[in-house]
Amino acid sequence: MKLYAFRLSTLLGLAVALLLVALPGPSKAQDAKAPYPSMAPLDQYLMPDRDAEITLARSAAPASISADAEVLVLTRKGYEVAAQGKNGFVCVVERSWTAPKGDPNFWNPKLRGPLCLNAPAARTYLPRTIKKTDLVLAGRSQDQMFEAVVAAIDRNELPVIEPGSMCYMLSKQGYLSDTAGHWHPHLMFFLSHVQPAAWGADLPGSPVLSFDNNVEHMTTFLVPVRRWSDGTPDL
């Protein structure tokens, strides 16, 4: 029952995001009611305690993985390396602008999404997060950011998602949306655009969820797991 409710809430959230993408732009009256209609002051997205951000980033995966991972932290100039790694993994705390286009939390300054990416994902998914961040810090709007990212993908300036790309999202300290909070521990697998049915995703009884990002020609599969990175169960 819990897993069914988890799948249902996830799919509803993704459906809302996709619906927002398809709808015409909001009116000024609707914009005024939106909780996060535009970017907040940059300080609200930054974590003033660098060590706290490193700890949060590492909480995305078990210590057996994250302790030897490279760690990035967000600064006023973009992401920078805060700790060198030696196992090929990269841990980072994503901010709200990595959400799908039109997501109501796109500018939510409270969002903190700790990820620990394996080497293929660090090579081919992470550059998209860095590109989006650099564009946002340069003052680009949501539409301008996505236009630039899509153009960079089409010109092969951003790499095609490499087979085997995945990440851990097992942090109890993350904050993924105002409705989901830290959500549930899960793994994410990134692929160039594929049909979710090829993975049996989103079917009755399947533990595999999907988000098909047509804008970025990428499909993400989510697989919930039972425990957080500290070993405690997801109750």
Side-chain angles (χ1 to χ4, degrees):
M1 180 63 70
K2 179 180 178 182
L3 179 57
Y4 173 78
F6 165 61
R7 293 186 69 255
L8 180 59
S9 65
T10 301
L11 293 175
L12 287 173
L14 295 178
V16 169
L18 293 173
L19 179 61
L20 287 169
V21 173
L23 290 174
S27 67
K28 290 184 179 179
Q30 290 172 321
D31 238 353
K33 297 178 181 178
Y36 311 103
S38 59
M39 187 175 179
L42 179 57
D43 283 344
Q44 295 185 31
Y45 298 95
L46 299 175
M47 293 182 64
D49 188 334
R50 187 182 181 92
D51 289 339
E53 183 159 0
I54 293 171
T55 298
L56 180 59
R58 291 195 191 279
S59 72
S64 58
I65 297 168
S66 62
D68 290 329
E70 180 178 294
V71 179
L72 304 184
V73 297
L74 182 63
T75 72
R76 292 184 174 276
K77 296 181 180 180
Y79 281 105
E80 64 179 38
V81 177
Q84 298 292 334
K86 56 185 179 181
N87 63 359
F89 282 81
V90 178
C91 297
V92 60
V93 180
E94 288 189 332
R95 286 355 190 237
S96 59
W97 48 76
T98 59
K101 186 177 181 181
D103 190 296
N105 283 281
F106 187 87
W107 292 119
N108 185 344
K110 294 179 287 184
L111 263 64
R112 302 286 186 270
L115 289 78
C116 207
L117 302 143
N118 71 350
R123 289 191 292 265
T124 58
Y125 169 82
L126 182 58
R128 300 186 184 206
T129 294
I130 292 173
K131 177 75 170 177
K132 292 174 183 179
T133 301
D134 291 345
L135 289 165
V136 165
L137 296 183
R140 301 290 183 89
S141 68
Q142 181 177 165
D143 287 342
Q144 291 171 333
M145 187 205 78
F146 277 105
E147 288 172 4
V149 168
V150 171
I153 292 171
D154 291 342
R155 292 193 297 262
N156 296 319
E157 295 171 1
L158 286 172
V160 174
I161 299 297
E162 186 177 329
S165 296
M166 60 81 65
C167 77
Y168 291 84
M169 289 195 74
L170 310 181
S171 177
K172 279 198 292 191
Q173 288 74 48
Y175 188 85
L176 306 185
S177 78
D178 286 345
T179 55
H182 59 215
W183 209 43
H184 296 270
H186 59 284
L187 308 178
M188 293 202 300
F189 299 85
F190 309 105
L191 288 85
S192 291
H193 189 265
V194 298
Q195 292 298 320
W199 279 48
D202 310 322
L203 298 177
S206 172
V208 183
L209 314 175
S210 73
F211 174 63
D212 209 14
N213 187 340
N214 292 321
V215 175
E216 297 184 35
H217 315 301
M218 181 176 72
T219 304
T220 303
F221 293 100
L222 301 88
V223 181
V225 297
R226 295 181 177 181
R227 294 185 180 276
W228 301 101
S229 62
D230 63 3
T232 57
D234 176 31
L235 301 176

